[in-house]
Amino acid sequence: MHTLNLGLVGNCSISALIDPLGEVVWSCFPRFDGDPIFCSLLSHDGDAVASRQQGFYRIELVDCVRSEQHYLENTAVLVTRLFDTHGGAIEITDFCPRFLQFGRLFRPMMLVRMVKPLAGSPRIRIRIRPVWDYGATDSERTYGSHHIRYIGPNLVVRLTTNAPITAVAEELPFFLNDRIVLLLGPDESLQDDLRETANRFYHNTVEYWRDWVRHLAIPFEWQEAVIRAAIALKLNEFEDTGAIIAAMTTSIPEAPNTVRNWDYRYCWLRDAYFVLNTLNRLGQTTTLEHYLGYLLSVTANAHHHELQPVYGIDGRADLTERTFDTLSGYRGMGPVRVGNQAFVQRQNDVYGAAILAVAHAFFDKRLRRRGDVALFEQLEPLGERAVALYDQPDAGLWELRNHQRVHTFSAIMCWAACNRLAHIATHLGRTERAAYWHHHADTIKSVILRRGWNEPKQAFTAAFEGESLDASLLLIAELGFLPADDPRFVATVAAIERELRRGDFIFRYTEADDFGTPQTAFLVCTFWYINALTAMGRKEEARAHFERILALRNPLGLLSEDADTETGELWGNFVQTYSMAGIVQCAIRLSKHWDQAICESCP
């Protein structure tokens, strides 16, 4: 049975998810939103792919009895060790090359797997069976002396290896006496020695990631958790365009048998803001610079400056949703969806998300391209949309599909859009524009305080003149709408504790939606709650809570979108940027300062 005990490798062009036995269970080619040529994660007994035994990439140790798995420290290189009943053992090293070459980043469409014997006389079997069209079509194959070409309708990938080609092609067991390399990538001949090439790719990739980590401004405490989260966030950037995807997968259900199965391999402007905010806190600014180009491109193409909540990683607007019955889904829990119909929704908070993401560019002196008057003028039409829409119904950030309300969070994000434009204008010396945007921010704020606050309930509610609560309102203080000691914010947190808390978890809401009553907790809401506790001065309580939530991570330090509140089992798409960003944000806020911690550690 599949679980989300998976490792992520990637290079900001492609990625792969690998299970504890070294099977590649999910990998899309030629990019994140492409065809999952390895898709056994969404295959189950009886579906088309499973019945044909296709859609996976396995390096099997004959008579394997146990496995170990870890990341090479401070890298995106995954190491899997398998042990057999006879004292034999092997080590699989997986990575996607990423390093500087000829003055630019080398990040090819390539997965490298290196296998070496560790003990005894291990026998292995290599089984590579890519599929196409979401499991509908098997690969055709052609062979060379040291390669196999896997041919699909629109793409050909080539395996170059020093393993016996006959053994790989016919999936025959063989003794592993020496290190072998399996390089799966573009249909191009490898001109240099395979082993030397793999060694160079490996050492350069390891050095790249360790150098990247060395430049992170990490907190003293929870360093390993923060570093792993930061690497995972970076891997969710499609660097060619600057887009940031929400997760690597599609259709991992939020909860068992709920059909809450969505495709997250696209760029939500809201999610991207949270990722950028997190990486900026760590001192990693290049992702913002890449994203700025992506955002300006999609806004330039927006009709009358109306932004969608989500776009393709190439900036395309049409993400029409389809289902594929060739894959039965995670543990057989379909449907498997491709595309995301949220692209047609009105989510008014998106204008705030776009402006908040770009606002850093006006104040961060580390950036190569800093914000100027021209950029400010490109943002102002988005502010005008925020002014026009802040009190209009929308689907909200939780993307309700069949009804709309005037969501308080959406209104607050529209206020944030105007507020940040006012600060940017002041910074640029545009006094009249600063006054203009301050006026709109003040107007919106007064409406929110009047219509979003429920006096009998003593809380801000999910919608204007509403009764129900929404965990997104835990962000009121972080967004600067009210200070953390404001009685209305403190009371809202207390109300959320009473109504949305289940054990250690905070639900995003508990009322029934288009698909029934939520069954699992959306993890980022609990991180927002921990941050709110910290801001209100309840730091020791927040620290204890944070430690308990950290324990939910899989053995490799990764989180999905949701968790079962009783068992802690992970559900939802994986690796989820919201959740990984939550780890970093909480650790930064809760950690002791370096000098304090070092002094306390001395006898």
Side-chain angles (χ1 to χ4, degrees), residues 19-23 58-69 79-85 87-92 113 115-119 122-125:
D19 79 2
L21 292 176
E23 177 181 340
R58 298 173 184 162
I59 299 172
E60 301 172 349
L61 175 64
V62 177
D63 297 327
C64 180
V65 290
R66 68 183 180 91
S67 68
E68 299 173 355
Q69 201 168 48
V79 177
T80 306
R81 291 176 178 155
L82 305 178
F83 303 84
D84 66 24
T85 56
I90 66 170
E91 181 177 271
I92 306 168
R113 314 197 76 184
V115 191
K116 70 178 182 181
L118 291 180
R123 295 172 70 219
I124 69 169
R125 178 188 293 112

Side-chain angles (χ1 to χ4, degrees), residues 163-358:
I165 287 295
T166 299
V168 176
E170 299 184 19
E171 300 180 354
L172 301 174
F174 62 94
F175 285 100
L176 182 67
N177 299 313
D178 198 359
R179 187 172 68 102
I180 63 171
V181 173
L182 301 117
L183 189 155
L184 185 71
D187 185 26
E188 301 169 356
S189 297
L190 185 66
Q191 301 300 320
D192 299 321
D193 180 84
L194 175 62
R195 283 211 220 188
E196 290 181 4
T197 299
N199 281 338
R200 178 168 60 86
F201 284 3
Y202 169 78
H203 289 294
N204 288 352
T205 299
V206 168
E207 183 56 31
Y208 168 84
W209 283 112
R210 288 180 171 167
D211 186 64
W212 188 85
V213 168
R214 277 195 293 271
H215 289 86
L216 294 178
I218 61 173
F220 181 85
E221 297 181 272
W222 304 291
Q223 291 184 39
E224 290 183 4
V226 169
I227 289 169
R228 184 54 46 203
I231 292 173
L233 291 174
K234 181 63 179 178
L235 291 178
N236 278 55
E237 178 192 355
F238 183 63
E239 207 162 53
D240 186 58
T241 65
I244 299 168
I245 62 171
M248 289 293 175
T249 57
T250 178
S251 303
I252 308 296
E254 294 179 12
N257 300 306
T258 57
V259 303
R260 296 177 186 265
N261 302 13
W262 316 116
D263 191 349
Y264 277 11
R265 298 172 298 160
Y266 308 112
C267 184
W268 272 260
L269 303 190
R270 177 192 316 112
D271 299 49
Y273 158 66
F274 283 103
V275 172
L276 291 168
N277 192 33
T278 301
L279 290 176
N280 286 343
R281 286 174 181 266
L282 292 170
Q284 213 290 321
T285 59
T286 57
T287 302
L288 170 59
E289 292 177 312
H290 296 153
Y291 178 73
L292 182 57
Y294 174 84
L295 181 62
L296 293 178
S297 177
V298 298
T299 55
N301 293 327
H303 182 63
H304 295 309
H305 307 289
E306 292 185 7
L307 291 181
Q308 297 176 186
V310 57
Y311 293 87
I313 62 176
D314 54 5
R316 75 185 188 279
D318 188 348
L319 300 176
T320 300
E321 193 170 284
R322 300 167 290 158
T323 60
F324 284 81
D325 58 10
T326 46
L327 294 170
S328 60
Y330 183 74
R331 301 185 188 174
M333 300 175 191
V336 171
R337 304 184 201 266
V338 177
N340 198 300
Q341 214 59 29
F343 84 96
V344 301
Q345 291 185 349
R346 171 179 284 179
Q347 297 178 26
N348 295 333
D349 68 296
V350 71
Y351 301 99
I355 291 172
L356 263 63
V358 178

Side-chain angles (χ1 to χ4, degrees), residues 268-274 277 309 346-354 356 386 389-400 405-418 420 444-445 447-449 451-453 459-466 468-482 489 492 496 500 508-509 522 524-525 528 578:
W268 272 260
L269 303 190
R270 177 192 316 112
D271 299 49
Y273 158 66
F274 283 103
N277 192 33
R346 171 179 284 179
Q347 297 178 26
N348 295 333
D349 68 296
V350 71
Y351 301 99
L356 263 63
L389 296 172
Y390 80 92
D391 60 352
Q392 298 302 302
D394 72 347
L397 85 161
W398 306 126
E399 301 185 343
L400 302 177
R405 299 181 291 187
V406 181
H407 286 91
T408 305
F409 178 78
S410 294
I412 290 173
M413 288 294 279
C414 289
W415 165 85
C418 298
R420 300 315 190 265
I444 294 172
K445 186 170 188 175
V447 173
I448 295 170
L449 293 176
R451 299 183 61 190
W453 175 258
F460 287 100
T461 50
F464 283 6
E465 288 88 33
S468 60
L469 296 179
D470 182 341
S472 64
L473 299 175
L474 292 166
L475 295 170
I476 283 175
E478 181 168 328
L479 292 169
F481 184 75
L482 291 176
F489 177 66
T492 298
I496 287 172
L500 300 187
R508 49 188 167 178
Y509 52 83
F522 199 76
V524 75
C525 297
W528 291 344
Y578 260 151

